[in-house]
Amino acid sequence: MRGGYLKLGAALFGLALLAIVLRFLLAAAFPASMVAYMTLETGLPIIIVHDLTQDLQRSLPANILTEPAFSPDGSRLALTKLLQYGSEIVVYDLLRDRETSLTTAIAIAESPAWSPDGAHIAFSSNQTGDTSIYLVQPDGSGLRRITSSGAGDREPDWSPDGRSLVFTSNRGGGWDLYTLELETGAVQQLTTHRAPDNSPVWSPDGTRIAFASRRDGASGIYLLQLDTLQVEPLVVDTRYDSLPQWTPDGRAVTFARSVDGSSRIMRVDVHTGALTRLNLGGMDADALAWCC
């Protein structure tokens, strides 16, 4: 009889485990509120994928990965993989548990950003000497360099229509924001402040760009209105705030705040300014990416 109970318990445990796996796979295939972020709680960068709706978490293999960016369908992540000499861009298939390297040059490749149609990944790399923006297809083919200013071009992000990129560059002397129209190659400078502006991200409706800066003497998250190029502060704090990301509905911006040697993800409502902490289980979290 005891053996029967043990077998029944093992079967129930197996079914429960299968249910959890299926729930996570369904969440990855049909994401509602999926995020991915990096944590250093183990001492090494680990990527956590978290379904906020079901409160399911999954850790990617400990391959020293950071800077996650979801594919438009939520099934894959583009990431920066840290190497002994430099870094590379990889794609991790969440459904097949498979990692594919997209870059092979001994260089620093970072800041991957997936195009809205899923056809390309933009990233920055110094593989030709100066740091430039590149495009590559998700299978690693079609690599091409799309900026060559002779300065540093970094941190690309796509416009919602996929026609333009915003990026940071010191081609004008200081670190400012620029856009690149992909069809024509036209470049427009958006900011000219003496303080470095960085980590630009396009709003889902295409009208604004959120970015990080120290232009008010403390770290802050700012909004740039594209039709007027006017900049207004969203959050300014004596603590270090960085890496803004729009929520998929465009109502808020999340960002990383450094507090007492660890990092937490904060959320600020763009209309009311209400500031809250995103509940990620109390874990040290950085480099958050939203899905879809």
Side-chain angles (χ1 to χ4, degrees):
M1 188 63 128
R2 183 180 178 184
Y5 282 125
L6 291 174
K7 290 181 180 178
L8 178 60
L12 291 174
F13 177 79
L15 288 174
L17 183 61
L18 178 61
I20 291 173
V21 171
L22 288 175
R23 284 173 67 193
F24 187 87
L25 291 177
L26 286 172
F30 305 101
S33 295
M34 292 264 294
V35 297
Y37 55 90
M38 181 192 73
T39 179
L40 292 172
E41 288 198 343
T42 63
L44 291 174
I46 299 292
I47 297 297
I48 305 292
V49 181
H50 191 164
D51 175 3
L52 299 177
T53 303
Q54 302 292 337
D55 196 25
L56 298 175
Q57 294 186 24
R58 171 187 178 186
S59 301
L60 268 57
N63 287 339
I64 317 183
L65 302 169
T66 185
E67 297 186 314
F70 277 102
S71 62
D73 65 1
S75 67
R76 293 171 290 175
L77 283 171
L79 303 118
T80 298
K81 183 174 183 177
L82 306 180
L83 305 172
Q84 184 177 4
Y85 302 103
S87 56
E88 65 175 345
I89 304 300
V90 302
V91 166
Y92 193 90
D93 190 315
L94 293 170
L95 301 181
R96 296 178 177 84
D97 284 321
R98 186 171 58 195
E99 180 184 300
T100 302
S101 296
L102 304 190
T103 56
T104 57
I106 299 176
I108 296 175
E110 58 190 0
S111 303
W114 220 299
S115 65
D117 63 2
H120 293 92
I121 294 169
F123 66 96
S124 62
S125 176
N126 65 352
Q127 60 186 274
T128 56
D130 57 304
T131 301
S132 302
I133 307 297
Y134 290 78
L135 295 184
V136 67
Q137 295 177 27
D139 62 0
S141 63
L143 178 68
R144 61 189 177 101
R145 182 182 180 183
I146 59 171
T147 69
S148 54
S149 66
D153 298 335
R154 304 170 56 236
E155 301 180 308
D157 189 63
W158 294 82
S159 62
D161 61 12
R163 297 180 178 178
S164 302
L165 290 169
V166 62
F167 61 98
T168 60
S169 179
N170 64 348
R171 60 178 65 195
W175 287 100
D176 293 301
L177 306 186
Y178 293 77
T179 55
L180 168 67
E181 188 176 313
L182 293 171
E183 184 176 350
T184 65
V187 173
Q188 179 185 5
Q189 185 170 355
L190 303 181
T191 63
T192 56
H193 202 275
R194 63 181 181 278
D197 297 332
N198 54 73
S199 302
V201 282
W202 225 300
S203 65
D205 65 5
T207 64
R208 292 173 289 185
I209 289 171
F211 65 98
S213 181
R214 297 186 64 88
R215 54 175 58 206
D216 285 312
S219 68
I221 307 300
Y222 294 80
L223 295 182
L224 180 145
Q225 193 74 30
L226 282 167
D227 57 353
T228 63
L229 299 187
Q230 294 297 308
V231 173
E232 61 181 30
L234 188 58
V235 176
V236 178
D237 196 273
T238 55
R239 290 164 291 190
Y240 184 65
D241 295 339
S242 62
L243 303 176
Q245 287 289 333
W246 289 89
T247 56
D249 59 12
R251 296 179 180 178
V253 173
T254 55
F255 60 94
R257 169 167 286 179
S258 180
V259 180
D260 298 328
S262 64
S263 181
R264 61 190 60 173
I265 302 300
M266 307 299 294
R267 178 189 185 277
V268 57
D269 188 292
V270 297
H271 298 294
T272 68
L275 187 65
T276 56
R277 181 180 179 183
L278 195 65
N279 183 15
L280 298 173
M283 302 181 73
D284 177 76
D286 202 347
L288 179 111
W290 288 88
C291 180
C292 316

